[in-house]
Amino acid sequence: KKTMAEAVFRTKCSIYAAGCRKRGREKEALHYESLPESVADFSWYLYILECGDGSYYTGVTTDPARREAEHNGSSRGARYTRTRRPVKMVFCQKAESREQALRAEASVKRKTKEEKKNIVKKGFYVLT
């Protein structure tokens, strides 16, 4: 929902800015073009959860604490990890953007269990 709200907000600001520019209000157009970046801080995080069976689950989120709680039994998260609960957040790293976090997640998903264990041990991952 947060991602969809962000996308709608950005779209509406760009539409309004285009209208301002069309009517010669350049200063107001610049303000509305920069508004999404200044008002909304949508920070994205790459995370790794360690499941009860020793496997790892990776993902991208804007709220790591809520994601861990969901995976530990809330109605929404429980369906994903029903057989592997409980889980523990063992790694979390902030990304510059959603795209960067998704690229890093794809890269981490390709790693073996031992490589993921090393990332957790080091406490950081070079985001690509």
Side-chain angles (χ1 to χ4, degrees):
K1 288 180 182 178
K2 196 173 185 180
T3 305
M4 290 179 357
E6 176 188 6
V8 169
F9 183 66
R10 287 179 191 280
T11 303
K12 289 183 183 250
C13 283
S14 67
I15 290 168
Y16 189 80
C20 289
R21 200 166 260 121
K22 180 179 172 183
R23 289 162 182 78
R25 300 189 309 241
E26 188 65 30
K27 188 176 177 182
E28 192 174 356
L30 291 172
H31 168 73
Y32 277 94
E33 285 175 341
S34 67
L35 193 61
E37 307 306 321
S38 62
V39 173
D41 178 25
F42 294 99
S43 301
W44 289 91
Y45 297 89
L46 168 67
Y47 67 89
I48 300 176
L49 296 173
E50 186 174 17
C51 302
D53 63 1
S55 63
Y56 291 99
Y57 177 85
T58 62
V60 171
T61 185
T62 55
D63 190 352
R66 188 173 132 237
R67 178 59 67 194
E68 181 180 20
E70 285 176 350
H71 280 282
N72 273 319
S74 76
S75 60
R76 183 170 163 215
R79 66 180 177 199
Y80 299 117
T81 57
R82 195 170 290 142
T83 59
R84 297 191 247 174
R85 280 185 289 155
V87 298
K88 182 174 97 176
M89 181 81 64
V90 291
F91 177 82
C92 185
Q93 186 172 338
K94 187 174 181 179
E96 294 286 323
S97 66
R98 180 174 187 263
E99 290 74 27
Q100 184 186 36
L102 289 172
R103 282 193 308 271
E105 178 196 15
S107 176
V108 169
K109 280 186 174 185
R110 290 190 298 267
K111 303 225 177 278
T112 65
K113 185 177 175 180
E114 292 303 315
E115 290 172 322
K116 290 177 186 174
K117 200 178 280 189
N118 286 335
I119 292 169
V120 169
K121 199 181 291 183
K122 282 190 250 173
F124 72 94
Y125 181 67
V126 179
L127 299 174
T128 55

